Amino acid sequence: MHVRDLLGEQGLRLELLTPGVPLDRELRWVYTTDLLEPAAFLGGGELVLTSEGWYRTPADCETFAASLAEGGAAALVAGDLLLGEVPPLLVEACERRGIPVLAAPSEISYGALSRTVIERINRERGRELADVLGRHRRLVAALVEGADLGGLVAMLATELDTDCWALSVAGRLLAGPDEALPPALRVRLAVQALRAERPPASADGHTLLPIGRHGAGGGHLVVRGAPADLGTDGLGTAEQTAELLALGGARRDERRRTEQRFHADLIALVDGGAPPGTVHARLLTAGISPDRPLLALTALTRGALRPWDLAADLAESVVDETAGAKAVVAGGEHGLTLLVALDREDDGERLAELLRTRLAAFEPAADGGRIAFGLSATAPDASGLDRALEESRHAARLAALRPQRLSLVTAAELDSHLMLLAGVPAEIRASYRHRLLGPLEAYDAEHGADLVRTLTVFLGENGAWRTTAAALHIHVSTLHYRIGRIEHLTGRDLSTARDRVDLYLACAVD
C-alpha cells in the first residue's frame, strides 16, 4: 500500500495538505503517538497518526517533523480535535522533509483509521504469502481475498460437515453459530484448551486446536466431535485452518498493539498531569466519552503461557458483558491498564462480580502464570482518572500478595492489612516471611510435609479445627499434631492473637 492509496480509501475522507510532496512511499505499518520525538519508536515506513498532544510552542512543530524524518515515517495524518487546526508550521516542516501530511476529519477515530489501513496492508501481504502456500488453496485464497475469521470458520464447517467455532483465549465467541455453543460451555472449553499438554485436546465432545502458539493470544479453534471422529483428513484440514486463522490472529494482534500504543500515550498524559482539555480530547479520539462514569482496571502478570494475553482477554470479556460498558486498553509485556466507561456508576460492582467469577473458572488453567487485577472505585467523569489509576495500581499490588494465581482486589478492599504490606519493600516482606515460615518450609522440603499450607488454611478458617480438617481432608487429630509441630518449629503460640497475626501476615506475603 502506498500513501496515494489513502486518498482513495472510502470512508476515510483524508485531505492532502502537502500537494507538492510525492505520494509514492510504501506504507508498512501504522503508529499513533503524541510524543514530541517519536523517532526511537519508528522502524521506517509508518503512517504516523497524531492529535498534536505534543504541541506546546510553535518550535515543537520543527522538532516533531525532524523526528519523523529521522525515524523514516512515510506520511503523517494529523487531527484538529485538540488545537482546532493542523498547525501550518507543522505542514511546512514536514513538506520541507518530503513527508506527506494529511488531515483527518474530527469524526473519524484513529482506531478506525488504523484498522482500515492495517487491514489493507495485510491483504496485500496476504497476496504475497499465497505464492508460497500450496496446501488447502481454497482456504488460503479466501484469507488472501479478505475473508474474515468467520468466513474461514464457516468454510471449515462446510468441509467437515459439522459445527465449528473460534474462541478467544478466555472463551469469547469470535466466529461460529452463537446459539450452538452456550457461554458456560465456551468458558469450560477455553479452560480445558489452556490446560491441554499438547494439541489436539478433547473436551465435552469437541476437538480443541490452538490458534497460534498454544492458543495464547490467538485463542482456540473448536470443532464438534472428538479427534477420532474427524478422521486423519478432517483433523489435518482443521489443523491447517487453525494455522491460517493464526495469520488472521497476527493481524488482529498488530491492530491491538497499535491501539494499545495510542492508549498508552493517553495513560501517560493522565499520569503526567496533562491539562483536562488534552485528556478529554484523547478520550474522545479513543471513542470514550469523558463525561461518563469511568473506572480503571490494572493487571500485573508474570510467568509462562503468556498470562498477559489471558489477562487482556479476561478483562475485555467482562467489559463486553457489562451492559453499555466500553474500554480502552493500554499494556506491555508484564501488565495492562483498562479505562472503562460505564452507563451507571453502580455498574462497577457488576463488572467486579463478573471478573471474580471468570477468574475462579480459569484458576485451574493458570499453572504457568500469575495475574493480579486491581479495580478502582468509579469516578463520575474524567476529572477523577488520576485517582482511579492510582487506586487500581495499588489494588493490583495487593492482589499480587494473595495466594491465588488469578486474583482481584477492588478499591473497597484497600482498608485491609494488605494495604500496609503492599507499601513495604519486597525484600523486607520476603525477609519477614522467611524468618517466620522458613523453618516450616525447610521441614516441608525435607519430609514432604504440608505444614505451610496447613497453617494458611487454619488461619484462614479463624482457627476452627473441624472446618480446617475438612478443608484439608485430614482427621482432626492429624491437624492437632501438625499445629503442634508448627508451634514447635516457629516458637509461636497459635492460641494467642499476637502470634496468629504475625503468622497470618507472613502467610499473606508471596
Side-chain angles (χ1 to χ4, degrees):
M1 183 178 189
H2 295 83
V3 176
R4 70 171 70 88
D5 299 324
L6 291 171
L7 298 175
E9 195 70 35
Q10 292 184 354
L12 296 184
R13 304 198 309 278
L14 298 176
E15 176 187 1
L16 181 64
L17 302 182
T18 52
V21 176
L23 304 178
D24 56 354
R25 291 190 181 186
E26 182 181 1
L27 297 177
R28 299 183 180 275
W29 208 245
V30 180
Y31 178 63
T32 304
T33 186
D34 275 329
L35 297 174
L36 179 59
E37 298 183 77
F41 302 95
L42 301 177
E46 288 90 349
L47 174 66
V48 176
L49 313 181
T50 184
S51 57
E52 293 94 41
W54 44 265
Y55 185 94
R56 294 294 181 272
T57 68
D60 289 340
C61 294
E62 190 72 24
T63 302
F64 183 72
S67 188
L68 292 182
E70 179 184 350
L76 173 68
V77 172
D80 59 6
L81 184 63
L82 187 60
L83 300 179
E85 66 171 351
V86 178
L89 289 177
L90 173 62
V91 177
E92 294 173 8
C94 289
E95 190 170 31
R96 287 198 306 274
R97 293 170 172 83
I99 300 173
V101 180
L102 302 100
S106 59
E107 62 270 20
I108 298 294
S109 77
Y110 281 0
L113 194 157
S114 296
R115 286 192 295 272
T116 299
V117 175
I118 290 171
E119 286 170 359
R120 171 78 178 266
I121 291 172
N122 278 319
R123 283 199 300 270
E124 295 184 2
R125 289 177 179 172
R127 295 189 181 95
E128 297 173 1
L129 182 63
D131 295 335
V132 297
L133 291 175
R135 293 181 298 173
H136 298 276
R137 291 183 178 275
R138 194 158 63 88
L139 289 171
V140 174
L143 179 68
V144 170
E145 291 305 317
D148 60 9
L149 186 143
L152 291 176
V153 170
M155 291 179 69
L156 176 64
T158 301
E159 288 275 342
L160 301 183
D161 193 25
T162 188
D163 287 332
C164 300
W165 302 266
L167 300 181
S168 72
V169 66
R172 281 190 297 164
L173 183 67
L174 302 178
D178 188 354
E179 67 283 353
L181 201 66
L185 179 56
R186 297 173 203 163
V187 171
R188 191 160 65 247
L189 291 175
V191 171
Q192 292 302 317
L194 284 175
R195 297 186 70 184
E197 293 184 1
R198 62 180 64 86
S202 180
D204 290 287
H206 295 80
T207 296
L208 313 173
L209 291 162
I211 299 173
R213 185 168 61 89
H214 203 80
H220 317 286
L221 175 64
V222 179
V223 181
R224 190 185 299 281
D229 299 332
L230 301 180
T232 303
D233 290 343
L235 186 58
T237 300
E239 290 172 341
Q240 290 297 320
T241 303
E243 291 180 8
L244 293 176
L245 292 175
L247 295 178
R251 299 175 184 179
R252 293 191 303 275
D253 287 347
E254 289 295 345
R255 288 198 301 268
R256 172 185 272 184
R257 280 192 285 271
T258 298
E259 292 174 351
Q260 286 164 359
R261 285 194 291 266
F262 175 63
H263 297 148
D265 285 350
L266 168 59
I267 301 298
L269 288 172
V270 176
D271 284 335
T278 300
V279 174
H280 283 212
R282 288 302 299 267
L283 285 169
L284 289 170
T285 302
I288 294 290
S289 169
D291 299 320
R292 291 176 63 181
L294 298 167
L295 56 77
L297 178 65
T298 294
L300 304 177
T301 66
R302 60 183 174 88
L305 284 184
R306 293 172 64 186
W308 187 93
D309 293 305
L310 179 58
D313 203 47
L314 284 169
E316 292 180 275
S317 294
V318 298
V319 170
D320 288 346
E321 294 175 36
T322 303
K326 185 174 182 179
V328 296
V329 185
E333 187 64 24
H334 301 293
L336 77 157
T337 299
L338 279 79
L339 299 181
V340 185
L342 305 171
D343 268 351
R344 303 171 311 186
E345 288 195 33
D346 57 3
D347 284 342
E349 297 177 6
R350 169 64 175 158
L351 190 146
E353 178 185 345
L354 286 171
L355 185 54
R356 287 192 195 280
T357 301
R358 199 57 49 83
L359 294 182
F362 276 86
E363 175 75 13
D367 291 337
R370 296 286 302 273
I371 306 173
F373 281 100
L375 183 66
S376 75
T378 304
D381 53 43
S383 63
L385 270 184
D386 53 349
R387 176 192 57 79
L389 279 172
E390 186 58 32
E391 277 187 351
S392 71
R393 290 164 179 163
H394 194 60
R397 290 194 292 271
L398 298 185
L401 298 175
R402 293 191 167 176
Q404 296 92 346
R405 290 183 289 267
L406 305 180
S407 57
L408 167 67
V409 168
T410 67
E413 301 172 74
L414 292 182
D415 59 353
S416 75
H417 63 280
L418 291 177
M419 182 175 69
L420 298 176
L421 285 179
V424 176
E427 60 273 15
I428 296 178
R429 295 200 307 266
S431 175
Y432 178 80
R433 176 185 173 91
H434 179 72
R435 284 201 309 273
L436 272 69
L437 302 186
L440 304 185
E441 292 172 336
Y443 186 90
D444 284 349
E446 181 178 353
H447 299 280
D450 203 14
L451 297 185
V452 173
R453 180 166 175 265
T454 298
L455 175 62
T456 302
V457 175
F458 180 73
L459 294 173
E461 297 292 347
N462 296 313
W465 294 92
R466 291 189 180 279
T467 306
T468 303
L472 294 171
H473 305 291
I474 61 176
H475 195 274
V476 173
S477 61
T478 302
L479 177 59
H480 276 283
Y481 171 78
R482 289 187 184 180
I483 294 300
R485 176 61 60 181
I486 289 169
E487 290 179 329
H488 173 73
L489 291 171
T490 61
R492 299 297 180 120
D493 182 357
L494 284 169
S495 67
T496 67
R498 177 174 179 174
D499 284 351
R500 279 196 185 190
V501 169
D502 285 347
L503 290 170
Y504 182 81
L505 293 176
C507 290
V509 173
D510 184 11

